Amino acid sequence: MGPRSHTGAMKNYKLEMFDDTLQLFLFVNVTNGDEILHKLKTITVEAAFIDAKLIVDEFQVLTAAQKALTCRDTTKLTTNNLHSELVYRLSPSKSITDSFAKFGVSATTTTLLVGVFSGSDAIWGEVKRTVHGVEEDISKLREHCDEALVRKTYKICAPELTMGGDPLLNAVITRIGTRDSL
C-alpha cells in the first residue's frame, strides 16, 4: 500500500501493486439505509456500502480491497463487480448472501463506510446525494465499531485478544487473509 492522502472526511489510499486507489468516506447518523439498499438492488452504484459496526480499522478494509483487486486481476471475482467483491471479502463467510447481510448496508444501518475504487468527483457527488447522514472523519471509525459483534462474527476467542499491538484488528486481518485457504 502506498501513501495515504486525507481530504476532509475522505481518505485516499494508493494501492501501488494494482496501480489503483481506494477512497473511504464515513457517514454517521444515516437515516435512509433502506433506500440505499433498494437503490443498490435496482441500479449499479460504483461504490461499496459497508455497515461500519463491523469495521475495526481502515486497514481491515484495505486488506479486503487487496483481495478484491487480486480477484479482479486474475478474473476470479466471486461477485458481480469490484465494489461488491470488497464487501464480500470483508466477511469470514464464503456465502455471498451472508456476507452482504452482515457487512452490507441494511434498513437499520446508522453508520456507513463507503469505499470507491478510482473514484471521480461525479461518483462522490452521487454517494453524497444517496446517503442521508453526516460526514465524519475516518479517524473516528473505531468509535462506531461494535467490538463484541466483531468477536462473534469472526469467531475470535479470548486468548487471541492477549497478543500485543491491536489484537482485535490482528485477529480480523488474519481471518480475512486466510479465509480462502482454509
Side-chain angles (χ1 to χ4, degrees), residues 1-6 10-16 18-25 46-50 57-69 82-83 86-87 90 113-120 124 138:
M1 267 172 288
R4 304 176 197 189
S5 65
H6 186 70
M10 179 178 65
K11 255 191 182 173
N12 294 302
Y13 294 89
K14 176 75 175 138
L15 304 169
E16 293 172 358
F18 301 95
D19 193 32
D20 214 325
T21 59
L22 178 67
Q23 294 89 27
L24 294 177
F25 215 114
E46 293 298 321
F49 292 85
I50 304 162
D57 184 271
E58 64 245 40
F59 187 64
Q60 176 182 354
V61 179
L62 294 172
T63 302
Q66 294 272 359
K67 298 222 20 145
L69 287 164
L82 186 58
H83 291 98
L86 173 58
V87 177
L90 284 165
L113 184 66
V114 181
V116 177
F117 288 98
S118 302
S120 66
W124 278 114
I138 196 83

Side-chain angles (χ1 to χ4, degrees), residues 1 15-18 20 22 58-79 81-94 99 117 154 171-182:
M1 267 172 288
L15 304 169
E16 293 172 358
M17 183 174 155
F18 301 95
D20 214 325
L22 178 67
E58 64 245 40
F59 187 64
Q60 176 182 354
V61 179
L62 294 172
T63 302
Q66 294 272 359
K67 298 222 20 145
L69 287 164
T70 298
C71 291
R72 178 201 64 190
D73 289 354
T74 58
T75 63
K76 293 182 181 177
L77 286 177
T78 304
T79 65
N81 64 60
L82 186 58
H83 291 98
S84 61
E85 193 76 18
L86 173 58
V87 177
Y88 173 67
R89 294 289 162 185
L90 284 165
S91 178
S93 171
K94 291 185 181 180
S99 299
F117 288 98
Y154 284 98
V172 168
I173 297 303
T174 300
R175 300 297 193 287
I176 292 172
T178 60
R179 179 184 83 170
D180 294 324
S181 58
L182 298 175

Side-chain angles (χ1 to χ4, degrees), residues 53-64 67 89-93 103 142 145-157 160-161 163 166-179 182:
K53 71 179 174 264
L54 285 169
I55 306 301
V56 178
D57 184 271
E58 64 245 40
F59 187 64
Q60 176 182 354
V61 179
L62 294 172
T63 302
K67 298 222 20 145
R89 294 289 162 185
L90 284 165
S91 178
S93 171
F103 288 86
R142 184 79 174 243
C145 174
D146 182 339
E147 292 189 9
L149 185 58
V150 170
R151 287 191 301 273
K152 180 180 177 185
T153 301
Y154 284 98
K155 299 178 182 163
I156 297 169
C157 57
E160 291 179 271
L161 298 174
M163 308 308 264
D166 186 340
L168 182 60
L169 177 61
N170 292 340
V172 168
I173 297 303
T174 300
R175 300 297 193 287
I176 292 172
T178 60
R179 179 184 83 170
L182 298 175

